[in-house]
Amino acid sequence: MSIPKTFSEARSALAKGASVTDLAHRSLAEAEARKDLNAFLQLFPESAPAKAAEVDAKLKAGTAGPLAGLLVSIKDNICYKGHRVGASSRILEGFTSLYSATVVERLLAADAVIIGRTNCDEFAMGSSNENSAYGNVKNPMDPTKVPGGSSGGAAASVAAGIVHVAFGSDTGGSIRQPASFTGTVGFKPTYGRVSRYGLIAFASSFDQIGPLAHNVEDAAAAYSVIAGSDPHDSTTSRKPNAPIALSNPGKLRIGYFREGLERAGMDTEVVAHLQAHIDRLKREGHTVEPVEVPLLDHQVPTYYILATAEASSNLARFDGIHYGHHSKQAQGVEETYRLSRTEGFGAEVKRRILLGTFVLSAGYYDAYYGQAQRVRRILRDRTLEAFGRFDLLLGPTCPGTAFAPGEITDPVAMYLQDIFTVQANLAGTPAISLPTGTHSNGLPFGVQLMAKPFDEALLFAASKTLFGA
Ligand code: GLN
């Protein structure tokens, strides 16, 4: 028997006498029954029921936390003490977390139950989950299609109704794009709003952990618990968390990305859907005007220069000695590094380490890395400028719907999946993908809303009241 679909349904089931233990067992059973999806790398059949029993006792005593009854999954790059974690990479094979991510600590303190860890692209690098060392994830909406990436298992775990909320990470779109592909809500917080402590780093100036859920309410409930400053992560903001109310924000000024409608290669139904929202919002009395996406054609190259540069540095720690895989053939230190990394990393990760090392190398640093940093600054300034005129920015999440595994083989074509999502990461703004569309091919797709930094309260409220998500 599957679980009540949303957190509020789970809470009413609890009020009617169901137990969290029962819900946790149902979730684990459902995950087993949907093994074909390959969404989970591991279930937690011991710690999940144990936590659930603890929550049941707290519910009886009237001391349960705000997330009592919420079942969640964590992406395989989020550390949970005593549980394995591997970023879907061979190089971390057999590695067990020595401590929990702040996000995990906060979820447990709020009495959420963590069901298992989800498959993803290796080190969160990808847009289709095809880069996992542990195989593809199937899209629950159509198993012949990818679920998106890199948080593909996370998206699938929600879309298949196994958990209420999945925690993914978003460096260039990895929460929002899989949300769009699976018909779920996917939210990336403002950079610095959620602690990255215990998140296996991909690109540290971009990475944020965030929720995927069936609706905005569940995403907001989960986000509210994980948000806030953390002494373990000096890049978190000390700003107090704004309470999330989901009440009607009134008439808004909304800028829409004209390029999202006009760009070549856009799916015509995605365009028509966005246009229909624009027309409706105008009729409802909002001010809706076109806005130019700043430096659109430079965003993806800028992102890939900076993200690979940061990744090449972050991944230097995987040396065959400190963590996980150690080459059996290797003799001596140098060979240990070389062979362990050669055997442990997959092709896409290697490509990115090479690219990142190249753009940081003495002879090319100014031409690539330095230049990309300057472009990033201009892009951030122009994005913030747009928020002087608009409360929200609206556009497509992706150019189209989910594709088949193997359909996109050119890495550069794959990188273009991120065309509408990387702006929020480059500029550090919050952004959300809302599952408002269904294509004539039967697949879901999303629209994306962005707000100015730390305005997640408006973003959630508008998502709910303007888009019914
Ligand atoms: N698809 C992008 C990439 O491959 C985004 C990844 C992410 O957000 N983790 O880099």
Side-chain angles (χ1 to χ4, degrees), residues 19-29 32 42-58 70-72 80 83 108 111-116:
S19 69
V20 181
T21 303
D22 171 43
L23 297 186
H25 282 299
R26 277 155 65 179
S27 171
L28 288 166
E32 286 288 350
Q42 192 184 12
L43 294 169
F44 302 148
E46 280 162 24
S47 60
K51 176 69 190 174
E54 180 196 318
V55 181
D56 280 327
K58 284 189 181 175
L70 188 78
L71 307 172
V72 309
Y80 182 6
H83 295 72
L108 294 173
D111 284 334
V113 173
I114 304 174
I115 295 299

Side-chain angles (χ1 to χ4, degrees), residues 75 77 121 123-128 131 149-151 169-177 202 206-207 303-304 307-308 348 352 414-415 417-418 421-422 425:
K75 184 174 175 176
N77 58 0
D121 283 302
F123 285 99
M125 297 173 182
S127 302
S128 64
N131 297 333
S150 63
S151 311
S169 62
D170 194 311
T171 305
S174 277
I175 291 175
R176 291 161 285 153
Q177 185 253 18
F202 163 10
F206 297 84
D207 300 340
Y303 166 77
Y304 276 93
T308 56
E348 182 61 26
R352 295 198 189 196
M414 190 68 97
Y415 298 168
Q417 277 297 312
D418 307 324
T421 49
V422 291
N425 305 79

